[in-house]
């Protein structure tokens, strides 16, 4: 167990030493989105009856940042350690595969959640979305960040260079988040795109998360819970399997 | 008592290259063992298989009886490896690095031992310096310290003295020898053959992924019977002695002789030919010569 806590400590410590870029920067980015989109669109859009667009936007931006930061944390930490070579210190130690995974995923979740909370607090200045069902909010934040934390572990193992990781981020993570309904309800999409969104796990995370705030959603939060939970489990099993096989870590 | 290191029929392939080819090696507890071989012979590959940094294609490897794949946690707990490549985590100071490494091995309060290791490696006054600010040799010392934080019964050093100054080299060897006397098994690779000759009681030589010699240092040295003579002559070497020449630059010759007795006949042949000897030195066989004979100059 102590091996796990040491690795977790290292991963968390790494984030706080550069807290400015890892936490403040994403909060600032989210605030810029909020400022611009709410100014441009607030008069034209009412997604759910009685919900102001700025308020509607906040949970989506929070979730987007939680997911992106959770992913960035484990993936960039792994690739950095691989490239600088200091991953050997972890690989030489008697750390179980699940301890390895748990430490990287938990550190990612922590960063994602802290950024999410930071955005919420900063956004209160613009609008105050209600929080009708906090338990759903927490559930989706935890599951979503865990899922992207594991995805980051997989991507960090797979990538050999920073630009491969950037590609993963730009061609997979970004499109999936932007097409998941951060800025809109999928009901406002044409049928084809609506149907396509159903295959995007990020859609369920954001929809379920938003349900916790407003009590309205595009589909039942229970379905979203199953989809997100299933994806998370699948990714965890995948990363455990890869860790066990030594995929691109143990040559 | 299980052997410290047991390698059976280990094979490892990288693409077309057979980096290790059916290696068998058994190192008993308490040995000071040398693993020698030219660049690319497969020394680091063998060490990586032992430490789990690489996985074997075939064969079994164990450390103190723990299989390195199936019982990877137990085998890593008893093994301390100084990797050949310099690596460090720029986020931490020396002491933080060592504490963290202790934590990875499940040790909570380890400061007494950490202090002792830092003292032996002359790192005490760098304890609170960030890793980034250390010189290359200093970083390598930290690498050695990191391998020792959990007092591993089996210590593997992959060229620990590369880029390290003379003073530290000596204090490092004193420390490692002390650990060896205390019962730790040492496996060492180095390209400094005098070091291996002075320290190791047994030696394996690796070439193209195969073990080409495995014996006690004593036996390896005495397998080279005879001696070498360096001669500076005023004139040409008599033709009868040409067969024994190993090296020649102008009137400077290096000859091998099958035994010390052969000195006498060599000198008489020189006298008969009327060649005057300006200088003569006798050379003891050393590990370098054994190495060159078994492994070849360029490793071919
Ligand atoms: N990860 C890898 N991928 C491909 N080839 C590799 C890999 N690691 C080692 N090799 C190859 O395997 C062979 C053995 O390398 P190894 O590092 O074991 O040699 P070595 O005996 O330690 O050499 P040196 O004295 O230079 O450290 C080399 O030809 C090397 O190029
Ligand atoms: Mg090597």
């Amino acid at each position: 167990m102590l091996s796990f806590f040491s690795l977790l400590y290292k991963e968390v410590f790494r984030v706080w030493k550069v807290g400015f870029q890892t936490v403040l920067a994403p909060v600032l980015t989210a605030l810029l989105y909020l400022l611009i989109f709410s100014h441009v669109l607030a008069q034209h859009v009412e997604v759910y009856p009685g919900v102001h667009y700025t308020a509607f936007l906040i949970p989506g931006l929070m979730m987007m940042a939680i997911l992106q930061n959770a992913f960035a944390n484990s993936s960039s930490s792994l690739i950095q350690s691989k490239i600088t070579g200091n991953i050997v210190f972890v690989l030489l130690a008697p750390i179980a595969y699940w301890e390895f995974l748990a430490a990287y995923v938990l550190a990612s979740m922590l960063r994602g959640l802290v950024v999410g909370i930071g955005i919420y607090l900063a956004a209160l200045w613009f609008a105050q979305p209600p929080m009708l069902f906090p338990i759903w909010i927490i559930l989706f934040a935890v599951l979503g960040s865990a899922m992207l934390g594991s995805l980051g572990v997989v991507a960090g193992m797979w990538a050999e260079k920073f630009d491969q990781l950037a590609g993963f981020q730009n061609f997979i993570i970004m499109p999936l988040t932007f097409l998941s309904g951060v800025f809109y309800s999928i009901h406002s999409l044409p049928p084809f795109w609506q149907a396509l969104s159903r295959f995007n796990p990020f859609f369920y995370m954001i929809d379920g998360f938003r349900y916790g705030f407003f009590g309205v959603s595009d589909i039942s939060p229970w379905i979203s819970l199953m989809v997100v939970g299933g994806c998370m489990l699948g990714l965890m099993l995948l990363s455990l399997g890869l860790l066990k096989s030594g995929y691109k870590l143990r040559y | 008592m299980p052997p410290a290191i047991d390698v059976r029929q280990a094979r490892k392939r990288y693409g077309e290259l057979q980096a290790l080819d059916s290696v068998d090696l058994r190192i008993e507890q308490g040995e000071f063992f040398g693993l020698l071989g030219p660049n690319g012979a497969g020394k680091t590959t063998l060490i990586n298989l032992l430490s789990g940094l690489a996985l074997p294609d075939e064969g079994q490897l164990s450390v103190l009886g723990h299989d390195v794949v199936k019982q990877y946690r137990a085998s890593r707990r008893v093994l301390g490896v100084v990797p050949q490549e310099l690596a460090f985590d720029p986020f931490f100071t020396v002491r933080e690095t060592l504490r963290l490494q202790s934590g990875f091995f499940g040790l909570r309060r380890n400061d007494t031992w950490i202090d002792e290791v830092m003292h032996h490696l002359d790192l005490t006054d760098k304890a609170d310096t960030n890793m980034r600010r250390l010189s290359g040799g200093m970083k390598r010392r930290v690498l050695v310290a990191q391998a020792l934080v959990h007092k591993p019964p089996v210590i593997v050093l992959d060229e620990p003295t590369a880029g390290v100054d003379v003073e530290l080299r000596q204090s490092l060897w004193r420390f490692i020898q002390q650990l060896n006397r205390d019962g730790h098994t040492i496996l060492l690779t180095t390209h400094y053959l005098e070091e291996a000759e002075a320290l190791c009681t047994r030696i394996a030589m690796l070439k193209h992924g195969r073990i080409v010699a495995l014996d006690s240092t004593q036996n390896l040295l005495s397998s080279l019977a005879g001696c070498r003579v360096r001669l500076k002559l005023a004139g040409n070497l008599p033709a009868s002695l040409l067969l024994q020449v190993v090296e020649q630059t102008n009137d400077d010759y290096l000859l091998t002789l099958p035994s010390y007795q052969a000195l006498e006949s060599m000198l008489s042949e020189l006298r008969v030919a009327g060649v005057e000897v300006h200088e003569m030195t006798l050379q003891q066989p050393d590990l370098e010569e054994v190495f060159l004979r078994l492994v070849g100059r360029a490793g071919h």
Side-chain angles (χ1 to χ4, degrees):
Chain A
M1 264 324 250
L2 191 61
S3 318
F4 157 74
F5 281 115
S6 301
L7 190 53
L8 178 62
Y9 167 81
K10 177 180 95 98
E11 285 304 302
V12 173
F13 187 82
R14 203 184 63 84
V15 174
W16 296 122
K17 268 217 169 165
V18 282
F20 194 73
Q21 10 160 340
T22 51
V23 177
L24 284 184
V27 171
L28 184 68
T29 311
L31 287 183
L32 288 175
Y33 274 124
L34 193 63
L35 192 72
I36 292 166
F37 278 88
S38 63
H39 255 287
V40 176
L41 295 175
Q43 278 76 42
H44 312 286
V45 185
E46 191 187 53
V47 186
Y48 297 132
V51 176
H52 194 267
Y53 182 69
T54 312
F56 169 86
L57 207 49
I58 293 174
L61 287 174
M62 282 171 70
M63 198 57 174
M64 179 166 101
I66 292 174
L67 302 180
Q68 283 177 353
N69 280 280
F71 176 83
N73 203 66
S74 48
S75 59
S76 68
S77 172
L78 265 175
I79 189 124
Q80 258 180 35
S81 293
K82 270 172 37 168
I83 286 174
T84 59
N86 62 41
I87 189 90
V88 295
F89 303 124
V90 177
L91 296 179
L92 287 173
I95 299 175
Y97 305 120
W98 69 265
E99 286 180 311
F100 185 102
L101 180 64
Y104 275 90
V105 170
L106 268 180
S108 301
M109 291 169 68
L110 210 63
R111 158 138 163 230
L113 296 178
V114 167
V115 171
I117 292 170
I119 292 174
Y120 177 76
L121 294 178
L124 283 179
W125 191 63
F126 296 90
Q128 298 81 34
M131 281 185 155
L132 293 185
F133 306 111
I135 188 78
W136 283 110
I137 299 178
I138 295 171
L139 212 53
F140 278 100
V142 164
L143 288 178
S145 58
M147 176 176 153
L148 270 284
S150 334
L151 187 61
V153 170
V154 174
M157 277 194 279
W158 164 78
E160 279 149 26
K161 297 179 238 153
F162 281 105
D163 37 333
Q164 286 176 324
L165 197 58
F168 199 99
Q169 212 146 7
N170 293 331
F171 292 104
I172 297 179
I173 306 291
M174 282 304 258
L176 286 181
T177 21
F178 273 86
L179 298 175
S180 64
V182 173
F183 302 107
Y184 51 84
S185 152
I186 60 158
H187 284 261
S188 47
L189 289 179
F192 170 76
W193 290 101
Q194 232 182 88
L196 201 65
S197 295
R198 301 279 162 138
F199 292 100
N200 180 358
F202 289 39
F203 156 71
Y204 298 91
M205 287 188 249
I206 289 184
D207 198 55
F209 188 65
R210 204 179 268 138
Y211 176 83
F213 286 86
F214 306 115
V216 264
S217 57
D218 292 341
I219 57 165
S220 156
W222 291 101
I223 293 180
S224 298
L225 182 66
M226 286 195 306
V227 173
V228 176
C231 287
M232 186 205 74
L233 266 178
L235 276 170
M236 291 230 166
L237 289 177
L238 173 66
S239 21
L240 263 185
L242 290 180
L243 282 170
K244 219 172 231 171
S245 73
Y247 176 71
K248 292 202 177 183
L249 282 182
R250 300 181 190 273
Y251 280 93
Chain B
M1 204 166 75
I5 286 174
D6 196 13
V7 178
R8 289 182 196 192
Q9 289 295 306
R11 293 165 70 88
K12 181 71 185 177
R13 204 180 174 85
Y14 288 116
E16 287 295 287
L17 181 93
Q18 193 73 46
L20 274 188
D21 199 354
S22 308
V23 167
D24 279 300
L25 182 63
R26 187 183 158 108
I27 301 175
E28 299 302 330
Q29 289 184 37
E31 281 197 70
F32 203 127
F33 193 95
L35 184 60
L36 306 183
N39 291 135
K43 304 178 295 294
T44 301
T45 304
L46 181 58
I47 290 172
N48 286 348
L49 294 188
L50 284 170
S51 66
L53 288 185
L55 303 169
D57 296 336
E58 277 170 56
Q60 276 90 46
L61 299 95
S62 64
V63 183
L64 285 176
H66 308 291
D67 187 280
V68 301
V69 177
K70 292 190 205 97
Q71 300 158 303
Y72 68 100
R73 295 181 77 183
S75 73
R76 281 179 210 159
R77 223 170 261 133
V78 293
L79 186 69
V81 180
V82 182
Q84 178 176 7
E85 298 280 332
L86 264 191
F88 63 96
D89 196 325
F91 285 104
F92 299 101
T93 67
V94 174
R95 184 184 291 281
E96 283 166 349
T97 300
L98 297 179
R99 281 197 182 145
L100 198 60
Q101 198 67 18
S102 306
F104 290 165
F105 279 87
L107 305 168
R108 196 179 302 271
R109 269 176 284 278
N110 199 25
D111 277 357
T112 324
W113 175 244
I114 287 178
D115 283 334
E116 195 176 330
V117 171
M118 284 199 297
H119 167 75
H120 282 293
L121 294 168
D122 216 352
L123 281 169
T124 310
D125 55 338
K126 301 278 176 205
D128 299 311
T129 307
N130 186 286
M131 289 298 299
R132 219 185 325 222
R133 294 178 192 280
L134 296 183
S135 71
M138 292 286 180
K139 288 194 186 103
R140 192 167 293 280
R141 299 181 197 200
V142 179
L143 221 51
V144 176
Q146 272 176 279
L148 299 177
V149 286
H150 56 299
K151 293 193 192 161
V154 181
I155 300 168
V156 176
L157 304 121
D158 198 351
E159 295 186 37
T161 45
V164 160
D165 65 32
V166 184
E167 203 175 326
L168 175 79
R169 223 183 268 186
Q170 284 172 354
S171 63
L172 174 66
W173 291 134
R174 265 200 304 278
F175 187 31
I176 298 295
Q177 279 181 307
Q178 178 62 48
L179 289 168
N180 182 236
R181 274 193 295 275
D182 293 345
H184 296 257
T185 308
I186 314 290
L187 170 60
L188 164 71
T189 82
T190 177
H191 288 290
Y192 299 103
L193 297 177
E194 331 78 80
E195 273 181 5
E197 188 176 331
L199 293 161
C200 302
T201 44
R202 243 168 27 109
I203 282 174
M205 290 193 187
L206 214 55
K207 179 184 174 181
H208 295 323
R210 288 173 175 277
I211 292 188
V212 293
L214 173 62
D215 212 332
S216 70
T217 314
Q218 264 318 311
N219 285 347
L220 284 174
L221 290 174
S222 54
S223 70
L224 286 184
C227 61
R228 290 186 162 201
V229 194
R230 190 171 285 284
L231 292 171
K232 222 182 178 76
L233 302 175
N236 285 330
L237 194 73
S240 58
L241 289 174
L242 276 178
L243 269 179
Q244 277 146 336
V245 175
V246 206
E247 247 176 60
Q248 182 194 357
T249 38
N250 303 325
D251 53 353
D252 205 345
Y253 299 87
L254 184 64
L255 279 66
T256 66
L257 299 178
S259 66
Y260 286 96
Q261 273 72 39
L263 265 178
E264 209 178 321
S265 58
M266 180 198 80
L267 287 173
S268 69
E269 285 190 46
L270 286 171
R271 194 178 49 237
V272 169
V275 182
E276 194 184 331
V277 178
H278 280 175
E279 262 179 56
M280 183 172 100
T281 42
L282 271 180
Q283 293 180 351
Q284 293 291 328
D286 62 6
L287 202 54
E288 185 156 334
E289 212 182 313
V290 183
F291 185 83
L292 290 179
R293 239 188 238 189
L294 289 170
V295 177
R297 217 161 278 271
H300 295 296

